[in-house]
C-alpha cells in the first residue's frame, strides 16, 4: 500500500494537479459553476409546475405557460450564460477586460450556433412577420460549442492586444471608452472568423463537437453503469490521496453533468415520464443517492464516530454531524483523517461503489425515477432525492437504505481504526 501511495504521489498527483490548475480548464470550471444559481432557480419552477397534489395542480394549470418562462430563460439558454462566464474567467486570468471579452465570446457563440429564421407571412394569433431565433440552440446541447468559442474568441482578443493590432486612443480618454476602441478590430476579426466558419464554410461547431463528444458523455454521465462507477471511483480515489476529487474531475465531467441534468429537465418539462428521462448518471444522482453526507458517503462514518469509545473520534463525530447533514464532509475527511489512511480510505471508496450499483439497478427497473431537478448541494439527502425525482417516496427511502448499507460497510473498518485510536490515547495518557 505504501509503495502504491508513493507511486501515485510521484506520478499521478503532479499530472492531476497540473490538469486541475491549467488556465483554460480552470476558466471552464469557474464559468460553468457561475451558472449554478440560474439552474437551481430554474429547477424550482420545474418543481412548482409538477407538485403532485391535484388541488395545487388545478390552481397552477392556467398559469403554466407563464410559469415556464423562468425555466426557459435559465436552464433553456444555459450555454449562453456559460459562454460569458467562461470567457470572463479566462480574460481575468490574463488580466484583460473581462466585460469586453465576455461580450465578444457571446457574439462569437451566437454567430456560430444560431441561424435566424425569417418569417415573411404572419400567421394570425401564432407568429408575426420578422426574424426569430430558436432558443433551443442556446441550451445545454451547445455547451461544448460555448466552451470552444469562448476560448477562441478570448485568445484572438489577447493575441491582437499583445501584437498591438488595435486602435489606441489618446491619453486622458476614460478607460471604458478606450477599452471599447481597443476592442473594435478584434470584434471585426471575431465576427468574420466565426461568420466564415458558420455561413461560408457551413460548419456548425456545436453540432460537430456534440457528435464527437456525446459518446463520452453517454459513458460518464448517461446510462452506463461502468461510466458511473468509474466516476465514483476516481472522485473518491483522489480524495483519499488528499486531492479535491471534484476539482480534478470537474473540468472533464462537469460539462457532461450539466448537459445531462438539463436534458432531463427539458424532457420532463415536455411531459416525459420521470422514469423515462434520457440520463441516469447526473450529478444529482450521485449527490442524493451516493454522496450521503458528502463524497464517500461519510455521514454513516460520522454516526459511528458519535458512539465511539474513543474520546477524539466521539468529539470529531459531534463536530462533523451538522456539516455532514448538509453534505459538507471536509471536517471528517481531514480530521479523522481519511486522507492517506488505508483503513478508512478503503470503505470511503467501496461504499459509494456499492450504493451506486444498487441505485442504478433500482432506477433501470423503474423502482425510483430519474432526476428531474437541480437543487443546492446542502439540502438534506432524503428530502432532496424526494423532491428531485418528481416527489418519489421511494427515492427518499433509497437514500435511507444506502445510508445503512454504507454504515455496514464502514463498521468493521471503523472498529479497526477505533482500536488504533484507543491505543494511541492510552499511550498518550500513560506518557502524561
Amino acid at each position: 500500500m505504501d509503495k502504491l501511495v508513493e507511486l501515485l504521489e510521484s506520478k499521478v498527483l503532479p499530472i492531476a494537479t497540473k490538469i486541475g490548475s491549467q488556465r483554460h480548464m480552470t476558466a471552464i470550471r469557474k464559468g460553468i459553476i457561475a451558472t449554478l444559481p440560474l439552474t437551481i432557480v430554474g429547477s424550482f419552477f420545474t418543481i412548482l409546475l409538477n407538485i403532485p397534489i391535484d388541488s395545487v395542480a388545478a390552481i397552477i394549470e392556467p398559469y403554466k405557460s407563464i410559469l415556464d418562462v423562468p425555466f426557459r430563460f435559465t436552464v433553456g439558454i444555459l450555454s449562453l450564460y456559460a459562454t460569458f462566464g467562461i470567457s470572463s474567467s479566462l480574460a481575468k486570468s490574463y488580466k484583460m477586460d473581462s466585460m469586453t471579452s465576455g461580450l465578444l465570446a457571446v457574439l462569437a457563440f451566437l454567430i456560430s450556433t444560431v441561424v435566424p429564421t425569417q418569417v415573411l407571412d404572419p400567421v394570425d394569433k401564432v407568429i408575426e412577420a420578422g426574424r426569430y431565433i430558436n432558443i433551443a440552440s442556446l441550451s445545454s446541447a451547445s455547451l461544448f460549442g460555448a466552451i470552444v468559442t469562448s476560448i477562441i474568441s478570448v485568445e484572438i482578443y489577447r493575441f491582437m492586444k499583445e501584437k498591438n493590432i488595435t486602435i489606441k486612443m489618446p491619453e486622458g480618454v476614460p478607460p471604458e471608452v478606450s477599452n471599447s476602441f481597443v476592442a473594435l478590430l478584434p470584434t471585426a476579426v471575431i465576427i468574420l472568423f466565426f461568420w466564415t466558419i458558420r455561413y461560408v464554410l457551413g460548419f456548425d461547431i456545436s453540432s460537430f463537437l456534440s457528435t464527437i463528444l456525446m459518446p463520452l458523455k453517454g459513458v460518464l454521465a448517461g446510462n452506463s453503469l461502468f461510466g458511473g462507477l468509474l466516476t465514483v471511483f476516481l472522485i473518491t480515489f483522489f480524495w483519499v490521496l488528499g486531492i479535491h476529487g471534484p476539482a480534478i474531475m470537474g473540468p472533464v465531467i462537469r460539462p457532461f453533468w450539466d448537459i445531462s441534468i438539463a436534458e432531463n429537465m427539458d424532457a420532463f418539462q415536455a411531459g416525459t415520464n420521470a422514469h423515462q428521462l434520457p440520463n441516469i448518471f447526473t450529478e444529482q444522482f450521485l449527490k442524493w443517492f451516493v454522496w450521503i453526507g458528502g463524497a464517500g458517503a461519510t455521514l454513516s462514518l460520522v454516526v459511528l464516530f458519535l458512539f465511539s469509545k474513543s474520546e477524539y473520534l466521539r468529539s470529531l463525530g459531534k463536530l462533523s454531524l451538522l456539516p455532514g447533514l448538509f453534505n459538507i464532509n471536509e471536517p471528517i475527511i481531514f480530521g479523522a483523517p481519511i486522507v492517506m489512511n488505508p483503513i478508512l480510505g478503503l470503505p470511503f471508496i467501496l461504499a459509494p461503489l456499492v450504493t451506486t450499483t444498487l441505485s442504478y439497478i433500482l432506477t433501470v427497473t423503474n423502482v425510483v425515477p430519474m432526476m428531474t431537478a437541480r437543487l443546492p448541494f446542502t439540502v438534506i439527502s432524503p428530502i432532496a432525492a424526494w423532491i428531485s425525482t418528481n416527489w418519489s417516496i421511494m427515492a427518499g427511502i433509497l437514500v435511507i437504505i444506502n445510508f445503512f448499507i454504507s454504515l455496514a460497510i464502514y463498521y468493521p473498518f471503523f472498529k479497526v481504526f477505533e482500536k488504533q485510536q484507543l491505543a494511541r490515547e492510552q499511550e498518550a495518557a500513560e506518557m502524561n
Side-chain angles (χ1 to χ4, degrees):
M1 181 66 182
D2 291 339
K3 289 184 178 180
L4 175 61
V5 170
E6 185 180 341
L7 175 65
L8 293 171
E9 283 183 329
S10 62
K11 302 296 182 181
V12 177
L13 181 57
I15 296 172
T17 303
K18 191 171 183 179
I19 292 173
S21 59
Q22 200 274 335
R23 185 192 303 271
H24 297 90
M25 298 296 259
T26 300
I28 293 168
R29 182 172 67 249
K30 288 182 176 179
I32 292 176
I33 289 174
T35 67
L36 191 60
L38 304 176
T39 54
I40 288 175
V41 173
S43 293
F44 281 120
F45 280 90
T46 301
I47 294 165
L48 177 63
L49 287 168
N50 293 277
I51 294 176
I53 301 172
D54 292 341
S55 57
V56 175
I59 294 171
I60 292 173
E61 183 63 34
Y63 307 103
K64 269 197 167 184
S65 61
I66 59 172
L67 288 173
D68 183 57
V69 171
F71 173 83
R72 297 300 163 193
F73 286 98
T74 51
V75 179
I77 55 173
L78 178 68
S79 293
L80 187 65
Y81 299 121
T83 301
F84 188 86
I86 294 166
S87 55
S88 296
S89 178
L90 182 58
K92 284 178 183 176
S93 74
Y94 285 125
K95 294 182 170 50
M96 292 166 53
D97 179 13
S98 61
M99 180 71 73
T100 301
S101 298
L103 292 174
L104 290 178
V106 167
L107 171 65
F109 174 64
L110 289 172
I111 290 174
S112 64
T113 305
V114 181
V115 177
T117 300
Q118 185 173 12
V119 177
L120 298 174
D121 300 316
V123 178
D124 188 38
K125 296 183 180 179
V126 176
I127 192 169
E128 297 293 330
R131 290 184 181 273
Y132 297 87
I133 63 171
N134 181 4
I135 64 169
S137 303
L138 309 177
S139 70
S140 60
S142 300
L143 189 55
F144 291 111
I147 291 170
V148 170
T149 52
S150 297
I151 292 172
I152 292 175
S153 60
V154 171
E155 292 297 342
I156 289 174
Y157 186 27
R158 182 176 73 92
F159 175 81
M160 294 185 71
K161 281 195 71 175
E162 288 183 349
K163 300 300 180 182
N164 291 318
I165 311 174
T166 58
I167 297 174
K168 292 187 177 179
M169 298 299 290
E171 296 275 340
V173 174
E176 59 271 17
V177 176
S178 178
N179 287 338
S180 297
F181 276 88
V182 166
L184 278 176
L185 290 180
T187 299
V189 170
I190 287 169
I191 289 175
L192 287 172
F193 180 77
F194 286 101
W195 173 79
T196 300
I197 290 173
R198 185 70 179 90
Y199 291 94
V200 177
L201 301 179
F203 184 75
D204 186 337
I205 295 174
S206 294
S207 295
F208 173 75
L209 290 171
S210 295
T211 302
I212 296 296
L213 295 172
M214 277 305 137
L216 182 58
K217 177 253 178 189
V219 172
L220 294 177
N223 299 313
S224 165
L225 177 59
F226 169 77
L229 292 174
L230 178 63
T231 300
V232 168
F233 172 77
L234 290 174
I235 289 174
T236 53
F237 182 66
F238 280 126
W239 267 123
V240 170
L241 294 180
I243 308 167
H244 193 289
I248 296 296
M249 293 292 292
V252 177
I253 199 170
R254 180 156 298 284
F256 296 121
W257 273 342
D258 286 349
I259 289 172
S260 293
I261 189 60
E263 285 178 349
N264 279 12
M265 291 166 69
D266 278 333
F268 186 64
Q269 280 289 87
T272 304
N273 187 287
H275 290 280
Q276 299 170 342
L277 298 176
N279 304 294
I280 294 175
F281 285 107
T282 61
E283 183 182 17
Q284 291 65 38
F285 177 94
L286 299 181
K287 278 183 179 179
W288 311 136
F289 291 153
V290 182
W291 304 144
I292 304 168
T298 51
L299 185 60
S300 54
L301 184 61
V302 170
V303 171
L304 290 172
F305 277 14
L306 287 173
F307 298 96
S308 174
K309 297 174 185 177
S310 163
E311 184 178 344
Y312 173 73
L313 296 184
R314 199 164 54 249
S315 298
L316 182 60
K318 292 175 183 177
L319 177 68
S320 304
L321 180 60
L322 186 60
L325 288 172
F326 296 97
N327 306 307
I328 299 167
N329 65 347
E330 277 80 359
I332 196 164
I333 285 179
F334 297 104
I338 293 172
V339 172
M340 295 299 180
N341 183 345
I343 295 173
L344 295 181
L346 189 58
F348 184 85
I349 296 171
L350 180 60
L353 293 175
V354 173
T355 55
T356 297
T357 303
L358 175 62
S359 302
Y360 172 83
I361 291 169
L362 294 181
T363 302
V364 296
T365 55
N366 292 332
V367 176
V368 296
M370 299 181 199
M371 295 292 162
T372 64
R374 183 175 190 173
L375 301 182
F377 78 95
T378 50
V379 180
I380 296 174
S381 293
I383 296 173
W386 171 55
I387 295 173
S388 298
T389 53
N390 193 27
W391 310 93
S392 168
I393 297 295
M394 283 305 303
I397 293 172
L398 175 58
V399 175
I400 296 169
I401 292 170
N402 283 344
F403 168 79
F404 283 106
I405 290 173
S406 300
L407 192 78
I409 292 172
Y410 268 110
Y411 182 76
F413 297 93
F414 156 72
K415 294 305 289 183
V416 173
F417 184 66
E418 181 188 50
K419 185 177 180 180
Q420 288 184 342
Q421 186 61 33
L422 286 170
R424 293 191 195 102
E425 290 177 7
Q426 179 67 30
E427 184 180 345
E430 289 174 357
M431 290 179 65
N432 293 331

